[in-house]
Amino acid sequence: MAALQPVRGTRDLLPEECLRHRHVRESAQRVAALYGYQEIATPIFEFSEVFVRTLGDTSDIVTKEMYTFTDRGGESVTLRPEGTAGVARAAISEGLVHALPVKLFYAGPMFRYERPQKGRMRQFHQVGVELLGVAEPLADVEVVAMAAQVLEALGVLAHITLELNTLGDGESRRAYREALVAYLGRYRDDLSEESRARLDRNPLRILDSKDEGDRRIVAGAPPIDRFLTPAAAGFFAAVCAGLATAGVAHRVSPRLVRGLDYYCHTAFEFTTQALGAQGTVLAGGRYDGLIEAMGGPAVPGVGWAMGIDRLAMLVGEPPAPDRPVAVIPIGTAAEVEALRLAQGLRRDGLPVDLGYRGSLKRRLARADKVNARAAVLLGEDELKRGIATVRDLDSGAQAQVPLAEVEAHLRRLVQGGP
Ligand code: ATP
Ligand code: MG
């Protein structure tokens, strides 16, 4: 039955995969806290307008990737394809824009109707950060340095390149756009249909085309740096200098643009060769016009989003969870005492796996399967004497321990003692 499969482009994250996701998310959140970021959680769906107005009506996301539907009240709503628009909407509707600067962290699922492949899903997961209210290049430096520190904390930075570019200010982009149209216009007939359609409406977007033929043409396009106003060039120089001071290595990629309309000045991507075609693990930039375009005050912003699913494939083994203790009653008479003991240990914060049924052998096999550190064996003989047999499952050593001392004994084992 088709309905018993997850929908194409979605998948179940089983416990092992959830551990990896959690490791990525929590590492990012720990680093973000070092920079003063606090968590925000916005709804998973918003009025469609929130995305259409901000992402740009020629962006890939808006033209073909959004999960949009009309709800029972007749409102057009969209499952969020990215996090920035919702955070910007919340910053306006919750009044955060009146107490600037504000530094926000988020994590959660995003939805895009894309062609599923390795590293590209229709439901995927991001963590992201947004710094609102700071127009200075130091904000860009800090946000990029924080991204590098997250990747370093995850142990993957060595395999990752930071590519950096500037999209300049409005005046720079107008001049660049003209030069780009002049250049790309010469290849109009060779461009993909999609890019041809964008030539008049949004030529910068063509630089981000994934079409092979387009990419060859784009490789010869003029880079933006010749068209920067002195102010925009100065801003970019300050960002590059700040990154050097912060010890963050980068490469300037003069044709890097971002897929969304709201970006200006700094644009960046952290990419790896290790994931095949889907090599971008983290991307972001500056979006000074976004909040005003949504109907809020003129508040500058800069931020990034990181693909948790892609990073989960890159990181090594996540830290193992605390190993449990197996409590194993032998014979029905011991079951009451076993439950009492297990509950006491759990209340005191020790993870316990309580054997439900089966022979001693089966229960010990179960203890092995859950990677238990120790087994507490309770048989009738033990019960009579008010003790338990505690077996160190790593060394095999056994000790007879008075019931009142079992917990202290287990703690020594769990904490790595003898
Ligand atoms: P791409 O060029 O790969 O389509 P994008 O520019 O659309 O990426 P962003 O909107 O910048 O991606 O999202 C930031 C990060 O989120 C990406 O670098 C990637 O790691 C992750 N990401 C984006 N789309 C997907 C997806 N469909 N499946 C898994 N991860 C994704
Ligand atoms: Mg995309």
Side-chain angles (χ1 to χ4, degrees), residues 59-378:
S59 67
D60 276 352
I61 292 183
V62 170
T63 51
K64 50 190 187 194
E65 295 176 1
M66 293 208 307
Y67 277 94
T68 296
F69 60 99
T70 307
D71 72 10
R72 288 169 191 273
E75 301 283 5
S76 176
V77 297
T78 296
L79 300 185
R80 62 184 186 193
E82 55 98 55
T84 305
V87 170
R89 193 272 309 141
I92 301 169
S93 53
E94 304 294 333
L96 307 183
V97 290
H98 304 303
L100 297 170
V102 54
K103 301 174 173 188
L104 299 169
F105 169 95
Y106 64 83
M110 306 291 163
F111 305 85
R112 297 182 193 177
Y113 193 82
E114 301 206 64
R115 191 167 69 76
Q117 47 200 297
K118 187 183 171 215
R120 193 176 291 287
M121 303 289 295
R122 288 179 176 173
Q123 174 175 336
F124 60 101
H125 304 81
Q126 289 183 335
V127 306
V129 300
E130 315 292 354
L131 169 49
L132 304 179
V134 186
E136 284 73 16
L138 181 57
D140 308 50
V141 171
E142 215 182 66
V143 156
V144 174
M146 172 169 48
Q149 192 171 339
V150 169
L151 298 170
E152 192 174 20
L154 288 168
V156 296
L157 190 59
H159 315 286
I160 287 176
T161 313
L162 165 58
E163 297 182 48
L164 189 71
N165 192 22
T166 176
L167 306 174
D169 47 20
E171 195 183 327
S172 317
R173 264 196 316 287
R174 273 188 295 278
Y176 184 46
R177 187 191 155 108
E178 239 171 73
L180 209 52
V181 171
Y183 169 81
L184 292 170
R186 297 210 294 275
Y187 301 92
R188 179 179 286 268
D189 296 339
D190 305 319
L191 286 172
S192 68
E193 198 182 314
E194 199 170 38
S195 290
R196 221 175 300 140
R198 284 172 169 163
L199 200 49
D200 306 311
R201 295 183 61 198
N202 201 338
L204 255 74
R205 176 87 64 227
I206 298 174
L207 298 181
D208 200 30
S209 169
K210 301 205 165 53
D211 179 271
E212 273 303 309
D214 288 352
R215 280 177 173 281
R216 276 194 295 277
I217 296 170
V218 162
I224 194 169
D225 48 359
R226 291 182 232 152
F227 303 91
L228 296 177
T229 60
F235 189 98
F236 190 51
V239 173
C240 293
L243 287 176
T245 304
V248 179
H250 67 272
R251 190 170 77 201
V252 174
S253 284
R255 288 176 197 84
L256 173 78
V257 294
R258 304 282 306 117
L260 309 176
D261 272 359
Y262 53 57
Y263 286 105
C264 63
H265 288 293
T266 317
F268 58 91
E269 290 190 349
F270 287 81
T271 59
T272 175
Q273 303 295 319
L275 289 177
Q278 268 58 250
T280 306
V281 293
L282 187 155
R286 179 167 276 281
Y287 50 84
D288 290 349
L290 174 66
I291 290 186
E292 199 175 11
M294 291 182 95
V299 171
V302 55
W304 48 253
M306 171 171 103
I308 298 180
D309 312 74
R310 291 184 192 177
L311 271 160
M313 291 191 278
L314 277 185
V315 295
E317 280 300 303
D322 287 347
R323 294 171 68 184
V325 168
V327 173
I328 301 180
I330 305 161
T332 34
E335 274 172 15
V336 172
E337 190 53 44
L339 177 59
R340 193 177 292 138
L341 180 68
Q343 288 305 98
L345 296 174
R346 287 164 170 160
R347 266 197 301 274
D348 291 342
L350 277 176
V352 173
D353 191 82
L354 180 58
Y356 295 111
R357 71 165 78 86
S359 64
L360 176 60
K361 193 172 158 217
R362 262 187 64 184
R363 296 199 209 208
L364 281 171
R366 161 84 196 165
D368 192 46
K369 187 169 167 227
V370 298
N371 192 27
R373 177 65 183 85
V376 181
L377 308 175
L378 282 171

